[in-house]
Amino acid sequence: MVLKPTVARYALTDRGQRPLLTEALPLAERVHRALVELSDGSAVFTGCDKLHRPLQGHRHAHILCESNPGSDSEGRGEITEISIYVPMGFGSGEQNALQRLKEIYDDHGGILDLLYLGSGSLADYCRTGGSPLFTRSKCWVSHTPFLPTRHPKATRAGVPKLDSNGRQIGSPEHDILRLLELAGFPEVVAIEPVSSRLLGGRAVPWQEFVRRRATDERRPAANGAGYGFRIEFAEAVQGPVAVGYGGHFGMGGFEGKSNTQIYEKYKNIQ
């Protein structure tokens, strides 16, 4: 039995100005719309079956934008690659749509050119080390802001409601741990907040990222604020790690890091 590819990757070409990683969410939305059209509404990209019922288990497309070290654009924090991750796999029709996607239009008529780099399995991209989103690691650091799906809970007197570990129920930390567990990840043995990420040579606060989908009437919880974390799992996990509101559009994403990398790159960010 031939396994379906689950990852496809694009590079952004030099024509025009590439958007910054802070614009990952609206760019992912445009890529999503294009792939839905090119695939004639494949469930792989829409996330719904023929009766328009949502698929279960988050098996459909995750669109992940990257600004990878070593690129010519690193100094400006531009998006350099886009990955499409589909746990259910790409069929022949979806692969055809991926190959036909060559450009994206913005709301002002601008064109962003995409170079299709090919598709493969998670193991392929983990082995080549081409993306920190697809590595295998125990330690992960926020790549894009985590957007909670629940509000912090408190009594009528305003006293926070705590879980058995002393975390406020519904707080960003409590919510991300809940969502990671629901997604099947192993136990998180360490977690600490990170207020920003290094991008274009400076610490960029999560609030500078676009954090709400233009086509979604729902609002993220916690007034749409973004949060970042360093997390360590009890055992190494295979990326990608992406949870929370907008998780299929690049939000709540993490980069896999070694302990040394985490210390050196993030030691001055709290």
Side-chain angles (χ1 to χ4, degrees), residues 78-215:
E78 293 183 343
I79 295 172
T80 54
E81 287 89 22
I82 299 175
S83 296
I84 318 294
Y85 168 57
V86 176
M88 63 194 298
F90 301 110
S92 58
E94 291 81 36
Q95 291 184 63
N96 179 264
L98 291 165
Q99 294 168 15
R100 291 168 57 199
L101 179 60
K102 300 183 184 299
E103 56 191 17
I104 295 295
Y105 295 85
D106 64 25
D107 296 333
H108 306 288
I111 300 176
L112 185 66
D113 290 329
L114 303 178
L115 175 63
Y116 182 61
L117 300 176
S119 62
S121 68
L122 278 176
D124 293 332
Y125 290 98
C126 178
R127 191 162 50 242
T128 59
S131 168
L133 306 185
F134 293 99
T135 189
R136 185 174 182 82
S137 177
K138 292 175 63 176
C139 303
W140 295 79
V141 178
S142 287
H143 171 74
T144 52
F146 168 70
L147 307 179
T149 61
R150 292 187 173 182
H151 295 278
K153 303 297 183 183
T155 67
R156 291 183 179 181
V159 178
K161 293 183 178 181
L162 306 180
D163 65 10
S164 59
N165 294 311
R167 297 187 178 94
Q168 185 175 10
I169 298 171
S171 66
E173 184 173 312
H174 181 273
D175 197 36
I176 193 170
L177 293 173
R178 179 185 68 86
L179 292 171
L180 288 169
E181 182 179 4
L182 286 175
F185 288 103
E187 178 188 4
V188 173
V189 296
I191 181 170
E192 58 180 320
V194 174
S195 64
S196 58
R197 68 151 290 163
L198 295 179
L199 187 65
R202 70 184 183 94
V204 177
W206 303 117
Q207 311 316 317
E208 290 192 18
F209 284 72
V210 176
R211 303 183 305 282
R212 184 181 178 187
R213 293 183 56 195
T215 58

Side-chain angles (χ1 to χ4, degrees), residues 236-250:
V237 303
Q238 170 70 64
V241 177
V243 294
Y245 175 90
H248 283 267
F249 295 86

Side-chain angles (χ1 to χ4, degrees), residues 43 48-55:
C48 297
D49 63 18
K50 294 181 180 179
L51 297 178
H52 305 290
R53 297 172 301 194
L55 301 180

